[in-house]
Amino acid sequence: MLRLLSKIITTGKRTEKCPQIPTYIEEIGENLKHAIHTLYGGRTLRIRHVDAGSTNGEEYELTALGNAFYDIERFGISFVASPRHADVLTVSGPVTRNMEHALKTAYEMTPGPKIVVALGDGACTGGIWKDSYAVVGAVENVIPVDARIPGDPPTPEDVLRGLLSIVTATRK
Amino acid sequence: MSSFTIDCLFAIAFVLPLVGVVLSLATRRFSWNNTLVQSMFILSGFAGLIAGSYFFALLGIGNSASFNGTFFGLVNIALNSMQVFFLMLVYGGVLLTSLYAIQSLPPYKDVYVLPTLNVASAFFIVGMQATILSPSLFTFLMAWEIMSVSAYFLVIADRSDESLRAGWLYFVMTHIGFACIAAGLLLLAGGNLFASWHDVALSALGATPLAISIAFVLLLAGFGSKAGLVPLHQWLPYAHPQAPSGSSALLSGVMLKVALFGFIQGVALFPFVPSFSAFLVISIGLLSAFFGALRAAVENDAKRVLAWSSIENMGLIFSAVGIYLLVHGSQDSAVSAIAPSIALFIILHTANHFIFKTGLFMAVGAVASKTHTRNLDELGGLAQRWPIFAGIFLALSLAAAALPPFGTFFGEWTYFQTLASGMTVSAFFGGSFALILALLALVGGLALFAYVRMFSAIFLGRARTTHAEQVSPMPILLWLPSLFSVLLSIIAGLFLFPILSAPNTFMEGVTLFGDVAILGGVSMNAWWVLLSVIFIGVLLTVCRRSFSNRNPARITDTWDCGQPITPRMQYTATGFSAPIRFFFKSILMSEKELIIEPISMSNPWIVRRRLVWSIKSFFEYWLYRPIGIAVFAVSRAVKRLQNGVIQLYLLLVICALVFTLATTL
Amino acid sequence: MTPIAIAMTVFAGGMFFLAFLMSSRMRLGSLVTAFRVQSALLALLAIAAAFVTGEFQLFIVAGLIVLIKVWFIPSFLLRAARVSGASERLQSYARPATLSFVAACLAIVALVGARGLLPVGADYFVLAASFGIVLVGLLMLVSRKDMFGEGIGFFVMENGIFTFGLALTHGMPFLFEIGSFFDLLAFFILITVFTHRAQDENASVATDDLRTLTD
């Protein structure tokens, strides 16, 4: 017990100093929040992500968007589990033949109005797997795509900027 | 309509089933045998109902109505209103179930021997009528025996192992009950077996208080066992599901009421009831109600759910009988004012339970006959195949759960309201009525749960097995009697409720459409309730139509996360009742066992998993099993006397003889 | 007491004495002979009762007793015993002396018991004798090990019951007497059949062998 107490006292604070949070996050975030608010009248923008055969790089970046550093949820964006609840469908990876039917079904099940976003190089153009026997190719070969966010994988900043441009474009 | 006509009609109603017996046996080679016999029963029911209606029209409904019939000059029978009321229940039940049996029995002609089944039904009907009509002790006991034994033959009708076991249990328990009834009544009658009821009441005046107490307990045990009161209810959940559906309806809807009638008639002979009697009856009634509702919520066999629900409702009625015994004849006028409202509930609930239980048993029987299964876990989705029938079943379930506009609602409202108003009479009543109300709330909630579960497991969702999927359309006579039950239930609420609450004034026509006032000046108008329900329904439909989203909706399949949807994914009845099972685990003693058997020798990870789930019967485990063990232990000890030496046996006989002589001389 | 009353007392007493003797006899022949004499005395008792009450039917009954109990049953019993090859020597659970002692005690019980019912008189002795015969018959039933002994015990008890009827009511209704005769006949048939079977199966008529029939 005493050992524990002494350890508590002798060990100081080990937390790191918060790194400098880039200002662009706040900037884009505020714009995004404003845009979503005017678009939906206070409701959040709900994103359902479909992994149609990616390297998971895009998923990591999307997950990172939700952590304490970026914290996308304060801007009015949330990720949902069921396509029935989704406003935006983000698709990553070149669509493999196995996932083609599932992607089509998810698209069918999403109620309109919906926005389909192709995330990453593989989804936009097929990437390095283009013309492979195992993939169908770009997402637009399977379902109609409204927007593209290229990159392999796109950085969180790219994703944020991309989402902002999509939302402002939709508003018009 | 003279009293002679009423007499004749009652006699016809009594004799027609016996004619049916002869016809059934005479024409058993023909295919129209069943229809002919059931028509005899229907005619009998009709005659009885007409006779009863004319009786009430002629003599009014009050207690003083009485009638001396002679059945074509053969026997002398005096009828009072209570007897005719219960007779009406019998005839109504016979009418409905015989109508149902015309088309429900022929598909089973390889399982049941139809002519003999109909003979048993005929004797059952005659037995029930005779029990109610009996003018003396001996005829009552004889009629009771006829009724019980013919019910036994109905239970074992399909000769399966389960039926034989259930029939055996029923046979033993009904005779234990018979012994109790006979002992109790003979105690009152002072040993005179051939006394008329009047003589029994006279000789009961001279009985000692101890004899009165013992007689009361015996009568409660005997009639209570037949009515399904805990802890002597053990035979009911096993026996009622095994009989053919029409007979189950009669057993559950009518025979239990005949037992109630017997109890009321028996208690009416007592010059005074023992002091503990009211509390005994109330507690047994409430315990039965709670236990019945609980078990109804967790059973998987549809008919067994209905059997347990019968136990629950009879428990409710008996608890009201107990309260009546408590408040009746009290010196305090505020206390004795509670009695008429309680009596109203007893009569109303008897009639209502008869109506909805008969309808439900016939409906479940129709489902079972078309899908060949009674297991709730195997049915489902039948509302798509039989929409009208699903509506009828829904209406009956609502009636069973005591929701408006059905008659059960008004009966139970009377009970709850009387208890609530009666709480102000004294502190004692306040405390006990509050407790009773709380228990009744629990019982009502469990009953509602049980019926929601049953209805949704059978009709909603999708079919869980192929049994329920491929069903043919239902013949009309299978669902028509249930529809009549629904209508009767509504009519009971609209007409019976006002009429019975003011029996002496209903002929003036005023109270039929007016408010019904009970204790404490609180009143309820059945017509308003019905109209409100209809109005709200119409309003909701109109609002929904007009305010709903005008945008065209796109219809796609259900989102299934990529897995194919199977009907096994929906709630099963077992799963739905899991929270109830969990909460009452100590009472239900449910056991789940996961049995894992390795299949492959080389790889221990390839296993077969089996989940076995069972519920133990509480009273069987805690009451019957210990008694049985004790009896067997005593028999084994006595068996040591059976060493095979004849002379020892003779010596025992001689000792018994000597002992008897010594004590008598 | 009238001569008839004395005669009845003597007959009844004689019957009881014979019963007392029979309780300890272990030879089938002597048992049967004693039973014959006892039945003859019973017939005489019935005739005396007929003289007392003047009912004609008691003569018929006496005749039936002579026919059935003095001639028919004993001779056929002996024949059945001889045919089945059973041993003449009967067995019992207690020594003959003990049985005699118990029979004497039963006589006292019978006297006391009858005293409780009737005051001392002719009828009283006949009643006491009938009680005693019934009790001794029961004793025989309980103490004998083989079927012939038990059969004779039953017949003795039957005699006693008959005497009881004669004592109390001066004859039971005719129908009852006929009934009891048929009862006797039935029992007799049963006994012969059983002894036959027992002898065939177990080579003896001891009832001990029946113990194998229990669980």
Side-chain angles (χ1 to χ4, degrees):
Chain A
M1 182 71 184
L2 277 177
R3 246 188 318 169
L4 179 62
L5 278 174
S6 64
K7 209 166 181 103
I8 291 174
I9 295 169
T10 51
T11 315
K13 233 193 244 193
R14 284 292 187 243
T15 49
E16 295 173 359
K17 272 224 158 316
C18 176
Q20 188 68 8
I21 298 188
T23 47
Y24 71 81
I25 299 176
E26 281 295 330
E27 214 184 287
I28 307 175
E30 281 305 308
N31 290 337
L32 200 50
K33 190 168 173 184
H34 181 72
I36 292 173
H37 186 84
T38 47
L39 185 65
Y40 278 128
R43 273 199 353 229
T44 59
L45 182 72
R46 284 174 290 203
I47 303 179
R48 206 280 186 173
H49 183 79
V50 182
D51 178 355
S54 74
T55 55
N56 284 346
E58 294 85 359
E59 280 74 24
Y60 269 116
E61 300 304 336
L62 280 180
T63 312
L65 274 178
N67 63 15
F69 193 80
Y70 293 97
D71 195 6
I72 200 176
E73 299 222 348
R74 60 196 156 125
F75 303 140
I77 298 181
S78 72
F79 291 96
V80 292
S82 169
R84 288 273 200 247
H85 305 159
D87 302 314
V88 176
L89 264 185
T90 53
V91 188
S92 63
V95 183
T96 55
R97 297 211 186 272
N98 293 342
M99 277 300 288
E100 179 188 356
H101 175 75
L103 179 59
K104 275 209 190 109
T105 316
Y107 177 74
E108 284 288 314
M109 299 296 173
T110 314
K114 53 198 169 196
I115 306 170
V116 177
V117 178
L119 195 63
D121 280 342
C124 294
T125 56
I128 58 176
W129 305 278
K130 190 170 161 182
D131 295 334
S132 160
Y133 67 91
V135 304
V136 178
V139 178
E140 62 200 356
N141 295 353
V142 185
I143 55 178
V145 171
D146 300 317
R148 290 172 185 74
I149 303 180
D152 193 354
T155 61
E157 182 187 348
D158 291 337
V159 176
L160 275 175
R161 286 194 203 279
L163 280 174
L164 179 60
S165 61
I166 291 165
V167 173
T168 43
T170 314
R171 232 181 56 198
K172 299 194 200 92
Chain B
M1 192 50 62
S2 68
S3 60
F4 175 69
T5 329
I6 301 180
D7 194 19
C8 285
L9 283 172
F10 272 130
I12 292 175
F14 190 85
V15 163
L16 268 180
L18 295 172
V19 171
V21 166
V22 172
L23 284 176
S24 169
L25 292 175
T27 60
R28 62 178 177 273
R29 297 269 171 243
F30 299 106
S31 62
W32 37 266
N33 172 331
N34 182 47
T35 316
L36 179 65
V37 178
Q38 303 298 342
S39 315
M40 290 284 114
F41 294 160
I42 291 175
L43 281 175
S44 158
F46 251 131
L49 279 176
I50 296 174
S53 321
Y54 276 121
F55 174 92
F56 283 127
L58 201 64
L59 297 167
I61 298 187
N63 274 329
S64 55
S66 98
F67 169 79
N68 283 313
T70 52
F71 274 34
F72 302 125
L74 287 173
V75 250
N76 221 339
I77 294 184
L79 288 175
N80 60 26
S81 320
M82 188 172 74
Q83 285 177 309
V84 178
F85 172 72
F86 279 95
L87 273 179
M88 297 272 274
L89 293 184
V90 170
Y91 293 128
V94 165
L95 185 59
L96 286 173
T97 52
S98 305
L99 196 60
Y100 172 78
I102 291 181
Q103 276 188 343
S104 84
L105 284 181
Y108 287 104
K109 65 178 184 305
D110 297 322
V111 177
Y112 309 124
V113 181
L114 284 183
T116 41
L117 179 69
N118 287 331
V119 167
S121 299
F123 277 112
F124 183 57
I125 296 168
V126 167
M128 283 196 289
Q129 289 177 47
T131 312
I132 300 178
L133 289 169
S134 291
S136 77
L137 183 52
F138 179 67
T139 47
F140 179 83
L141 290 176
M142 215 168 62
W144 186 267
E145 248 327 80
I146 295 177
M147 183 179 80
S148 309
V149 172
S150 44
Y152 168 72
F153 285 109
L154 290 174
V155 167
I156 62 167
D158 65 355
R159 258 86 56 84
S160 65
D161 281 339
E162 239 186 291
S163 297
L164 288 172
R165 257 200 306 256
W168 173 240
L169 180 62
Y170 164 69
F171 195 72
V172 170
M173 293 202 72
T174 199
H175 282 98
I176 294 176
F178 178 70
C180 292
I181 295 171
L185 288 174
L186 281 174
L187 253 181
L188 283 182
N192 182 5
L193 183 59
F194 295 95
S196 71
W197 293 123
H198 183 68
D199 296 335
V200 174
L202 276 179
S203 72
L205 283 173
T208 64
L210 178 65
I212 297 262
S213 304
I214 295 179
F216 186 87
V217 171
L218 283 174
L219 283 185
L220 181 63
F223 287 116
S225 168
K226 202 45 162 295
L229 292 183
V230 141
L232 295 170
H233 66 287
Q234 194 67 17
W235 60 276
L236 217 159
Y238 294 106
H240 279 189
Q242 299 302 326
S245 305
S247 312
S248 287
L250 274 182
L251 279 173
S252 197
V254 186
M255 189 170 80
L256 303 187
K257 312 297 178 301
V258 174
L260 172 70
F261 165 78
F263 182 69
I264 294 179
Q265 194 184 53
V267 169
L269 297 167
F270 282 66
F272 64 91
V273 279
S275 50
F276 62 83
S277 62
F279 297 106
L280 186 63
V281 176
I282 294 177
S283 34
I284 287 185
L286 288 174
L287 189 64
S288 312
F290 167 67
F291 206 73
L294 178 62
R295 286 298 294 260
V298 298
E299 285 284 345
N300 274 355
D301 179 341
K303 279 197 182 174
R304 200 163 280 181
V305 170
L306 293 177
W308 281 110
S309 166
S310 291
I311 294 180
E312 176 227 329
N313 283 293
M314 292 310 290
L316 276 182
I317 296 178
F318 269 86
S319 70
V321 170
I323 295 181
Y324 186 85
L325 287 173
L326 185 64
V327 300
H328 171 73
S330 160
Q331 307 301 63
D332 189 355
S333 69
V335 168
S336 62
I338 301 177
S341 304
I342 294 282
L344 177 63
F345 164 70
I346 295 174
I347 300 181
L348 274 178
H349 201 73
T350 309
N352 283 319
H353 177 242
F354 151 71
I355 293 172
F356 74 71
K357 197 40 69 72
T358 318
L360 272 173
F361 258 109
M362 291 191 287
V364 166
V367 168
S369 119
K370 283 284 152 197
T371 61
H372 307 293
T373 176
R374 294 193 315 240
N375 193 346
L376 289 178
D377 280 340
E378 289 175 13
L379 293 167
L382 288 175
Q384 292 160 6
R385 317 257 175 221
W386 301 320
I388 302 181
F389 183 70
I392 295 174
F393 201 100
L394 177 65
L396 282 171
S397 306
L398 289 176
L403 292 173
F406 301 102
T408 325
F409 169 71
F410 300 104
E412 296 224 0
W413 173 81
T414 310
Y415 194 27
F416 289 6
Q417 187 60 54
T418 311
L419 285 176
S421 307
M423 280 205 290
T424 55
V425 168
S426 76
F428 164 71
F429 279 104
S432 45
F433 278 4
L435 251 172
I436 296 176
L437 267 176
L439 251 170
L440 287 178
L442 172 63
V443 165
L446 282 172
L448 180 62
F449 181 88
Y451 280 103
V452 164
R453 172 176 176 263
M454 184 164 76
F455 175 73
S456 28
I458 297 179
F459 288 97
L460 302 180
R462 293 216 218 149
R464 289 179 183 84
T465 57
T466 45
H467 284 301
E469 238 182 317
Q470 299 141 4
V471 289
S472 46
M474 203 180 278
I476 183 171
L477 278 182
L478 284 187
W479 56 265
L480 198 64
S482 303
L483 178 63
F484 288 152
S485 298
V486 172
L487 296 172
L488 267 178
S489 185
I490 300 180
I491 291 175
L494 293 175
F495 293 102
L496 211 60
F497 182 48
I499 290 178
L500 287 175
S501 65
N504 297 317
T505 57
F506 91 97
M507 284 305 275
E508 298 158 21
V510 163
T511 55
L512 206 55
F513 294 96
D515 290 354
V516 174
I518 58 167
L519 181 73
V522 190
S523 67
M524 159 94 61
N525 191 327
W527 294 93
W528 276 117
V529 171
L530 175 65
L531 287 173
S532 329
V533 167
I534 295 176
F535 175 68
I536 291 176
V538 167
L539 189 67
L540 281 175
T541 320
V542 163
C543 287
R544 187 162 171 266
R545 284 280 164 79
S546 54
F547 291 121
S548 70
N549 199 344
R550 291 291 176 179
N551 296 338
R554 185 168 59 100
I555 299 181
T556 59
D557 293 333
T558 313
W559 171 244
D560 53 9
C561 296
Q563 309 282 338
I565 292 190
T566 67
R568 282 297 291 160
M569 290 176 178
Q570 49 184 352
Y571 255 131
T572 55
T574 315
F576 192 65
S577 64
I580 305 278
R581 262 185 289 129
F582 174 73
F583 194 77
F584 292 104
K585 193 162 192 252
S586 49
I587 302 179
L588 289 173
M589 294 188 292
S590 63
E591 279 172 2
K592 263 200 284 203
E593 203 185 333
L594 183 63
I595 305 170
I596 301 180
E597 300 158 355
I599 306 181
S600 154
M601 294 282 218
S602 50
N603 188 344
W605 295 102
I606 304 179
V607 293
R608 174 187 296 137
R609 289 194 167 83
R610 224 160 33 105
L611 181 68
V612 174
W613 164 74
S614 62
I615 285 187
K616 274 206 282 250
S617 166
F618 183 81
F619 284 95
E620 190 174 326
Y621 188 74
W622 288 109
L623 183 66
Y624 290 85
R625 219 178 54 108
I627 294 180
I629 292 176
V631 167
F632 277 128
V634 167
S635 330
R636 244 174 284 137
V638 171
K639 199 174 150 197
R640 279 190 240 127
L641 272 177
Q642 287 183 330
N643 54 4
V645 180
I646 297 182
Q647 285 83 354
L648 181 63
Y649 301 156
L650 284 167
L651 187 59
L652 291 172
V653 170
I654 292 167
C655 289
L657 208 64
V658 167
F659 180 72
T660 319
L661 282 172
T663 49
T664 51
L665 283 179
Chain C
M1 289 204 293
T2 65
I4 299 268
I6 296 175
M8 285 179 75
T9 318
V10 166
F11 293 148
M15 283 177 71
F16 177 73
F17 181 65
L18 280 165
F20 175 75
L21 281 182
M22 282 161 75
S23 68
S24 58
R25 287 284 151 266
M26 291 300 144
R27 200 170 62 85
L28 183 61
S30 74
L31 269 184
V32 172
T33 317
F35 178 68
R36 273 194 216 214
V37 179
Q38 190 185 56
S39 305
L41 283 175
L42 180 62
L44 288 172
L45 191 64
I47 294 177
F51 277 122
V52 167
T53 57
E55 285 183 40
F56 178 67
Q57 63 192 27
L58 279 176
F59 285 112
I60 305 178
V61 167
L64 274 173
I65 293 177
V66 167
L67 196 65
I68 297 180
K69 287 196 182 173
V70 177
W71 177 69
F72 180 69
I73 290 185
S75 49
F76 270 85
L77 206 59
L78 282 177
R79 180 132 79 84
R82 204 176 49 236
V83 161
S84 67
S87 127
E88 177 92 355
R89 211 149 128 257
L90 303 174
Q91 292 180 324
S92 71
Y93 281 109
R95 291 199 317 269
T98 319
L99 292 174
S100 291
F101 178 72
V102 175
C105 296
L106 289 175
I108 300 175
V109 167
L111 282 169
V112 170
R115 187 74 175 77
L117 272 184
L118 286 180
V120 179
D123 274 347
Y124 163 70
F125 277 120
V126 179
L127 188 68
S130 72
F131 276 172
I133 298 169
V134 169
L135 286 170
V136 169
L138 289 173
L139 172 69
M140 285 176 71
L141 268 178
V142 171
S143 61
R144 301 270 165 169
K145 267 197 196 171
D146 47 63
M147 291 185 209
F148 285 116
E150 294 207 19
I152 300 267
F154 179 78
F155 294 136
V156 167
M157 195 179 72
E158 187 74 36
N159 272 353
I161 293 174
F162 216 94
T163 320
F164 177 76
L166 282 176
L168 221 42
T169 60
H170 292 292
M172 299 184 277
F174 196 52
L175 240 70
F176 284 176
E177 288 158 3
I178 296 294
S180 79
F181 273 126
F182 275 116
D183 178 36
L184 262 183
L185 272 172
F187 187 79
F188 169 68
I189 294 169
L190 272 175
I191 279 289
T192 43
V193 165
F194 269 126
T195 46
H196 225 91
R197 283 298 301 268
Q199 187 68 17
D200 283 344
E201 298 269 332
N202 310 326
S204 91
V205 289
T207 55
D208 256 4
D209 297 324
L210 288 174
R211 286 181 68 182
T212 53
L213 291 171
T214 63
D215 244 339

